[in-house]
Amino acid sequence: MNNYGFLSRLLKLFFLILIPSIVQAQYCVSGCNPDTFVNSANPNTIEYDNLISVFHASLAKEKDGSFKVWGQASHSNGTSDLYSPTLIAPSNGFNYTGTPLRVAAGSISNTGHQFALLTTDGLYVWGTINTLISSTIKTTSAFGKITINSKTDGLPAGVNPSDVKMMFGSYRTLAIVTCNGDAWVLSFNGSKNGDGTAEGTTNNVIWHRVKTSLAGNPNLNNVVAMRGTSNALFALTSDGKLYTWGTGTYINNGAAATRNYATEVSVPVGATPKMIGMTQGGGSLLQTYYLLATDGKLYAMGDNSNKQLGDGSTNTSTVWNEVTAVSGSNTLGGNIVWISPNEHSNYANSATINVLTNNNKQWAWGANSGNMIGQPTSTAFYDPIYMPGNSTAADGLSLTDEVIAVETGGHTTINVKKCSQNFGYVGHRTNGSMGDGSAANTNPTSFTYSTSVLIVCGTDLGPKSKDLKICSGTTANLDNANLEINSSEVEWHATNDANSPVITNTTAMGPGTYYAFFTSASGKCRLVGTIVTVSYYLPTDPGNPCACYNPGTISGTAPDTKLGITLLKRAGTNSPDNWPMVRKSGHIALESNTKGFVITRMSSTEISSIPAPQEGMMVYDKTAKCLKIYSDGVWSCFSNPACP
């Protein structure tokens, strides 16, 4: 392993120890992952799939961790349509057990949509058979749990549901990345098993561990993201390397080729990868690749038949080229923070991408199939367009609007504007795909926000905050949960209502759920508060800083305590209590019912400045208002939990 990889692993371990309430494993983030959309930053933990759009259907993860689905063939029976975002829950016919973790989907035009839900109990699939996974695995369209290779949770051998970091779907393709960086593929299209095996009766219905093209074909390790199309896949590793395999692939060196093992793709000079993506026109077996660098530059390579490279031509490029464009005073190059190519749907002439810039503006280019980027000619291909859609529409997307999330489907685009509880929609509106409660069949060419309320995870309208954990017997300071630069703009409530009473004393809060809102004076959005949970550390939590003790005995054969100070007039061997000898195994015993024992009292800052604290040292923290003990290099408030 090179030095970069070693340091990366070391930092991940350090992060795990310090923040057990957020990070589960090497690359995993639990709950509602805020590292997404315009706030995306860390390549190793970016969440790509809080919004997923296929041809005429979409999935969304809401900020409370629940999932919703709507559009064509999305009903739990796998054939009917859902006209509004519908909670994926047993009450709506999605009869799963366990806790939902991830969703995925794949489609081919309007003839096939298939969906997957991963819960802590296993993998469930519904929709048009033979679209996402082989019909040999799932023979019916109705929602149901699958078994693969005798494993009843449907996952690869040795992989549990909680181990899955990313679950990606495309036409006849399901791929997962685990928390420790393993890549697995379940596919029956495009020769992309990634382990050198060919498609066939046996290989189409089992998981394949992706291997590299290096000598001996070792496993592909340290993967943090895997994206793709129906014919090829693309992976990013924690040390910033890129790999691809499948049909019509490019590696930044030479013509397209079919690659049966993961083959390294060279990175543009000076670029550090942040996000990856792919698209394919459907009618072509050639792939298009996107690489977003941490400095905001976007690079594209491969097929360009739909103008999806954004270079003003339809010429294929076998090497990376930066995408740049100018619209008035707005520039695209070097300012991009999020990319969303059409990757889940296989359809002719639908190679398209939407991106967001660091000033919350949206650009799009490529195919306009079904008017999916808001342009008038559905059969035309377009160069990069600033703020696609008709800005004159009453409820549309104006040039002053700020877009904070976007997802590209096979015939549609959906986005989320800042301070809006309704998502925007443009493209082919049919079979409930717009999520507005209607089955109407039209092709709007401008974004409309006359849709359902949807609070997508990562598009929080409230302040940036984090959950807190505390030791038993202590309280939390909600100010420590606030991540806003200007903390004076944040207020706290006990309910998700900005008009409810404000919590005036936030420094001593017990376990519970609280809501952070921007103040009225801030002028910022107050529609929805950010949920913050305060909970106790569990004995099994990694890095649990809470002290614990096992009660000692006051009788038995332990040595006597010889020295004592008491105000209760019972000292001496002739006293009925035999005090202090009855207090076994002590150096000194103190007792009183009218006096207290006073020890050194210091602020948290003063305590942290003690030059050489000793194991077992105690001091009272005036800031945290608790007795602290120094143990294993950490000052911890003493509380009364039982030892595990």
Side-chain angles (χ1 to χ4, degrees):
M1 181 186 301
N2 59 33
N3 290 336
Y4 186 97
F6 173 77
L7 290 174
S8 176
R9 285 175 176 268
L10 188 62
L11 288 172
K12 292 296 180 305
L13 178 62
F14 181 70
F15 193 63
L16 286 175
I17 294 172
L18 289 183
I19 315 179
S21 64
I22 298 178
V23 179
Q24 289 183 319
Q26 187 175 5
Y27 307 121
C28 280
V29 178
S30 62
C32 178
N33 183 358
D35 189 7
T36 188
F37 302 130
V38 295
N39 296 316
S40 59
N42 185 344
N44 292 348
T45 56
I46 286 177
E47 177 57 66
Y48 288 68
D49 294 317
N50 286 339
L51 277 174
I52 298 173
S53 284
V54 284
F55 199 72
H56 291 148
S58 298
L59 296 142
K61 181 177 184 178
E62 293 206 287
K63 67 182 297 182
D64 63 0
S66 64
F67 293 93
K68 289 184 176 179
V69 64
W70 67 99
Q72 190 169 20
S74 61
H75 192 282
S76 59
N77 63 21
T79 56
S80 302
D81 306 329
L82 292 172
Y83 302 141
S84 298
T86 301
L87 184 66
I88 300 177
S91 58
N92 290 321
F94 300 94
N95 295 313
Y96 61 80
T97 56
T99 302
L101 299 173
R102 303 201 173 273
V103 291
S107 67
I108 179 168
S109 69
N110 63 345
T111 61
H113 297 73
Q114 197 169 31
F115 311 86
L117 169 71
L118 178 66
T119 77
T120 51
D121 183 52
L123 194 56
Y124 296 78
V125 174
W126 74 105
T128 313
I129 62 171
N130 227 40
T131 303
L132 181 67
I133 64 172
S134 169
S135 57
T136 302
I137 300 173
K138 184 75 165 60
T139 60
T140 62
S141 58
F143 183 90
K145 192 177 181 184
I146 64 171
T147 295
I148 295 179
N149 206 23
S150 301
K151 198 161 184 282
T152 57
D153 63 8
L155 295 176
V159 177
N160 298 315
S162 60
D163 297 330
V164 177
K165 174 189 186 291
M166 176 179 289
M167 186 167 73
F168 170 79
S170 189
Y171 177 59
R172 296 186 172 181
T173 305
L174 189 61
I176 62 172
V177 174
T178 66
C179 295
N180 62 1
D182 299 340
W184 294 86
V185 176
L186 177 66
S187 170
F188 58 114
N189 198 75
S191 301
K192 58 181 184 297
N193 292 336
D195 61 357
T197 60
E199 294 167 10
T201 304
T202 300
N203 287 322
N204 291 354
V205 296
I206 61 173
W207 287 100
H208 298 266
R209 175 74 185 273
V210 180
K211 301 177 181 295
T212 74
S213 60
L214 297 175
N217 301 121
N219 290 331
L220 176 61
N221 296 319
N222 302 320
V223 178
V224 294
M226 183 162 46
R227 314 307 289 176
T229 68
S230 61
N231 286 289
L233 290 164
F234 190 24
L236 169 65
T237 64
S238 61
D239 53 1
K241 291 185 177 181
L242 305 173
Y243 293 86
T244 189
W245 61 100
T247 303
T249 60
Y250 295 88
I251 60 171
N252 195 32
N253 180 16
T258 296
R259 294 176 169 88
N260 296 321
Y261 293 97
T263 304
E264 188 169 357
V265 181
S266 60
V267 177
V269 176
T272 300
K274 173 186 171 181
M275 286 184 74
I276 59 172
M278 291 183 72
T279 193
Q280 177 186 303
S284 170
L285 295 181
L286 300 178
Q287 308 305 313
T288 303
Y289 296 80
Y290 299 102
L291 169 62
L292 176 61
T294 54
D295 61 3
K297 293 181 180 180
L298 177 64
Y299 300 88
M301 172 178 63
D303 179 48
N304 196 25
S305 56
N306 294 176
K307 285 193 169 185
Q308 64 265 39
L309 295 185
D311 62 0
S313 78
T314 56
N315 300 324
T316 295
S317 176
T318 61
V319 296
W320 292 114
N321 289 302
E322 185 185 353
V323 181
T324 60
V326 177
S327 178
S329 61
N330 299 285
T331 58
L332 182 64
N335 298 311
I336 299 173
V337 295
W338 178 260
I339 63 173
S340 176
N342 170 29
E343 55 193 354
H344 305 293
S345 182
N346 182 36
Y347 184 63
N349 295 328
S350 61
T352 309
I353 183 171
N354 281 269
V355 305
L356 299 178
T357 59
N358 53 18
N359 61 343
N360 298 345
K361 300 302 180 182
Q362 182 178 334
W363 294 70
W365 62 93
N368 187 41
S369 180
N371 306 101
M372 63 188 292
I373 56 174
Q375 298 307 302
T377 306
S378 63
T379 57
F381 309 132
Y382 289 86
D383 297 327
I385 306 163
Y386 174 66
M387 293 296 266
N390 183 356
S391 62
T392 62
D395 68 338
L397 186 62
S398 74
L399 295 176
T400 58
D401 284 331
E402 297 183 54
V403 180
I404 57 176
V406 68
E407 167 69 7
T408 309
H411 237 199
T412 64
T413 296
I414 57 177
N415 70 11
V416 180
K417 289 195 295 187
K418 189 175 182 179
C419 206
S420 174
Q421 295 188 72
N422 298 82
F423 60 93
Y425 184 92
V426 71
H428 191 187
R429 174 193 183 194
T430 183
N431 298 91
S433 60
M434 186 169 160
D436 62 344
S438 169
N441 188 352
T442 61
N443 280 75
T445 58
S446 62
F447 276 94
T448 177
Y449 294 83
S450 299
T451 58
S452 300
V453 171
L454 195 68
I455 309 300
V456 179
C457 170
T459 63
D460 288 343
L461 305 180
K464 297 178 183 177
S465 302
K466 66 178 181 180
D467 292 339
L468 297 176
K469 284 203 170 188
I470 57 176
C471 298
S472 177
T474 67
T475 56
N477 184 342
L478 292 182
D479 291 340
N480 294 330
N482 179 25
L483 301 178
E484 289 293 327
I485 296 176
N486 189 350
S487 60
S488 65
E489 295 184 338
V490 178
E491 63 188 27
W492 292 92
H493 296 252
T495 62
N496 200 4
D497 180 1
N499 297 316
S500 64
V502 177
I503 299 174
T504 55
N505 181 9
T506 61
T507 61
M509 309 302 295
T513 301
Y514 306 95
Y515 301 86
F517 284 86
F518 285 113
T519 63
S520 297
S522 71
K524 297 181 179 179
C525 180
R526 286 168 53 81
L527 286 176
V528 177
T530 300
I531 301 173
V532 170
T533 301
V534 177
S535 61
Y536 288 127
Y537 278 105
L538 299 175
T540 55
D541 284 341
N544 182 347
C546 306
C548 67
Y549 78 98
N550 290 319
T553 179
I554 61 172
S555 62
T557 59
D560 294 342
T561 298
K562 300 295 187 181
L563 176 63
I565 301 174
T566 179
L567 299 183
L568 301 185
K569 300 179 180 180
R570 60 177 184 168
T573 57
N574 296 324
S575 71
D577 295 325
N578 193 31
W579 195 94
M581 285 69 72
V582 71
R583 305 300 185 199
K584 303 298 182 182
S585 302
H587 288 293
I588 185 171
L590 305 175
E591 70 174 17
S592 171
N593 56 9
T594 59
K595 304 291 183 180
F597 173 55
V598 181
I599 66 171
T600 303
R601 302 171 307 285
M602 305 171 71
S603 68
S604 296
T605 302
E606 291 169 332
I607 292 172
S608 64
S609 300
I610 295 176
Q614 301 298 305
E615 186 77 7
M617 182 181 287
M618 293 190 299
V619 64
Y620 182 77
D621 189 324
K622 297 187 296 181
T623 306
K625 294 181 171 45
C626 70
L627 178 65
K628 279 189 171 178
I629 301 176
Y630 184 81
S631 179
D632 294 328
V634 178
W635 283 103
S636 302
C637 287
F638 179 79
S639 57
N640 195 24
C643 292

